[in-house]
Amino acid sequence: MQKSTALLKKMGKWLLGLLGVLVVLVAGYVIYMQLQYFRIDDHQAIATENNPSDTIQLNHAYTATTYNIGFGAYSPSYSFFMDSGESLTGEKSHGKYSRAYSKKETEKNTSGSIQTIKQINPDFAFFQEVDEKATRSYGVNQLERIKQGMNQYGSAYAKDFHTAYLFYPLTEPHGAVQGGIVTMTKHHVQSNDRRQFPVSNGFLDKFFDLDRCFLVSRLPVSNGKELVMINLHMSAYDKGGKSRAAQLKLLNQVMSEEANKGNYVIAGGDFNHALGDSVHQFPTEQKTPDWVYELKDSDLADGFHFVKAANATSVPTCRETDTAYQPGFSYTVVVDGFLVSDNVKATAENQDRQFSYSDHNPVKLTFTLQ
């Protein structure tokens, strides 16, 4: 009896000691995350590398693309740990992976995304979710891959995701991330201004959500005005839509200021909103995800409108990633595209790539300045 009591006491002390160690480790990790955490300041000037000299002309047709490359992870079979969904019959699903399958897979998808845009050969190319250095993409420098693969373009890079090592999920930590958005151009850029979107500063949100931003690039036009190209990536995991509403307000303010100067404005990227009445546009066996919010022309500042792709009713630009991509089953929607000021004449086409290299399809814009 005495031996049993002594043994229980030893086990109790051992468990208390272990618990104490765990508390210290968790507390130390929280302190580490807090010390590493910061938000990037608004109005950060970004240089254009390899800046071309060609000036934009009136009444000349130009092209632009936007493509969220999903940090090179999203093969058609890939699902993401932060996404969940439910089928029409009530079966719930949850994404599996927090990293790409492998370095080789990341390299394949990154190269495929770059080749996809090179085949289109646009004057401007917007990219989102481009990793510079990240655990989730096995250290593949996608920024450098894009610049090397499109070396006839000028480039500007704005960081929108910078985080210390995230030990979540425990079975496969997301790790540390340095990533952002990239604007590639064949025409001379006068300046780039990184604008900070309003984002949540909640204790957990600030570590898992991106430091959302948009990059405002100014290009001189032959008539003395400016073409203002805006590359953006709005919030997705935004319960209640509060951050997205604040982001749209800022975007509208910036665009209105430019339009009032008589400048030409084009904003493109991943809006993370359903565009062009696409919420229920495509065949699916899944319920509409909670993150889907509509964005219409009536939500934009006066003098602006979305350019609806000619094939917007047949080609989606984004797939839900709670499961592998299954055509006809997976929920799909249009969240990528462009909006323009009324002095820009434009058409668009969603590029049907069957989500081969990303959970997004690219969009091509053709435009002239009036």
Side-chain angles (χ1 to χ4, degrees):
M1 184 67 179
Q2 291 180 346
K3 289 183 178 180
S4 297
T5 301
L7 180 61
L8 287 173
K9 287 182 178 180
K10 286 183 179 180
M11 290 181 63
K13 289 180 179 180
W14 183 83
L15 290 173
L16 284 173
L18 179 61
L19 180 61
V21 171
L22 289 175
V23 169
V24 170
L25 288 174
V26 170
Y29 178 67
V30 171
I31 292 171
Y32 157 74
M33 292 295 291
Q34 291 287 353
L35 290 175
Q36 294 291 319
Y37 168 79
F38 67 95
R39 287 296 189 196
I40 299 173
D41 292 335
D42 196 9
H43 287 296
Q44 184 183 55
I46 305 293
T48 299
E49 296 183 17
N50 193 33
N51 201 351
S53 59
D54 188 59
T55 300
I56 297 293
Q57 305 293 318
L58 294 179
N59 301 308
H60 178 85
Y62 296 98
T63 55
T65 57
T66 181
Y67 196 9
N68 182 328
I69 67 170
F71 63 91
Y74 291 85
S75 306
S77 62
Y78 186 84
S79 64
F80 188 55
F81 78 107
M82 290 185 69
D83 276 349
S84 59
E86 186 175 352
S87 70
L88 296 177
T89 57
E91 296 178 2
K92 295 185 178 181
S93 52
H94 198 89
K96 296 180 180 180
Y97 306 101
S98 61
R99 305 178 185 178
Y101 289 145
S102 64
K103 183 175 182 178
K104 182 178 180 181
E105 191 75 5
T106 303
E107 291 173 336
K108 184 201 76 172
N109 289 331
T110 302
S111 296
S113 296
I114 294 169
Q115 289 303 315
T116 294
I117 299 303
K118 287 181 68 175
Q119 289 169 8
I120 299 172
N121 191 28
D123 292 281
F124 302 91
F126 294 170
F127 293 94
Q128 301 86 38
E129 290 198 34
V130 177
D131 278 357
E132 183 180 11
K133 182 180 181 181
T135 308
R136 64 184 186 178
S137 48
Y138 296 89
V140 176
N141 191 331
Q142 295 166 334
L143 172 61
E144 287 302 319
R145 298 292 179 97
I146 291 172
K147 291 194 295 185
Q148 291 169 7
M150 303 177 70
N151 57 16
Q152 73 273 37
Y153 289 78
S155 65
Y157 167 68
K159 189 173 293 185
D160 72 356
F161 199 8
H162 59 96
T163 179
Y165 197 97
L166 293 172
F167 275 104
Y168 185 82
L170 294 177
T171 54
E172 185 187 61
H174 198 58
V177 180
Q178 299 289 331
I181 60 178
V182 181
T183 295
M184 308 295 289
T185 174
K186 288 184 177 180
H187 305 277
H188 184 70
V189 176
Q190 188 168 293
S191 66
N192 300 290
D193 185 16
R194 181 197 181 279
R195 296 301 312 272
Q196 177 73 16
F197 268 136
V199 290
S200 172
N201 283 318
F203 181 74
L204 292 177
D205 293 344
K206 66 186 181 184
F207 299 128
F208 285 95
D209 194 15
L210 283 68
D211 215 353
R212 304 282 179 170
C213 71
F214 56 103
L215 185 61
V216 181
S217 300
R218 297 179 176 277
L219 295 92
V221 181
S222 59
N223 65 351
K225 300 293 185 180
E226 291 179 324
L227 169 61
V228 180
M229 300 290 288
I230 300 175
N231 181 357
L232 59 86
H233 190 188
M234 298 177 73
S235 290
Y237 304 101
D238 175 28
K239 189 174 182 180
K242 292 181 180 179
S243 291
R244 278 181 283 193
Q247 291 170 9
L248 181 60
K249 181 179 179 180
L250 175 60
L251 180 64
N252 275 333
Q253 176 187 328
V254 171
M255 294 193 304
S256 291
E257 290 172 355
E258 297 302 331
N260 290 337
K261 298 175 187 176
N263 289 332
Y264 308 90
V265 183
I266 298 174
D270 179 357
F271 289 86
N272 269 318
H273 287 76
L275 309 179
D277 300 314
S278 62
V279 175
H280 305 295
Q281 181 66 57
F282 305 102
T284 181
E285 294 297 323
Q286 290 187 299
K287 295 180 180 179
T288 303
D290 292 340
W291 62 264
V292 176
Y293 290 79
E294 286 191 272
L295 194 57
K296 299 181 178 181
D297 287 357
S298 57
D299 298 310
L300 302 178
D302 291 341
F304 289 87
H305 63 277
F306 281 104
V307 184
K308 186 173 182 177
N311 59 348
T313 59
S314 59
V315 180
T317 70
C318 180
R319 71 171 179 92
E320 178 68 332
T321 59
D322 57 304
T323 66
Y325 177 52
Q326 303 170 62
F329 174 85
S330 299
Y331 179 82
T332 56
V333 66
V334 174
V335 302
D336 308 87
F338 293 89
L339 63 86
V340 300
S341 52
D342 288 345
N343 54 359
V344 178
K345 183 179 180 181
T347 59
E349 181 182 15
N350 297 340
Q351 305 295 297
D352 190 3
R353 304 296 173 170
Q354 295 292 308
F355 305 108
S356 297
Y357 306 112
S358 171
D359 56 326
H360 291 253
N361 282 323
V363 181
K364 177 185 177 182
L365 182 79
T366 303
F367 66 94
T368 58
L369 308 185
Q370 303 295 296

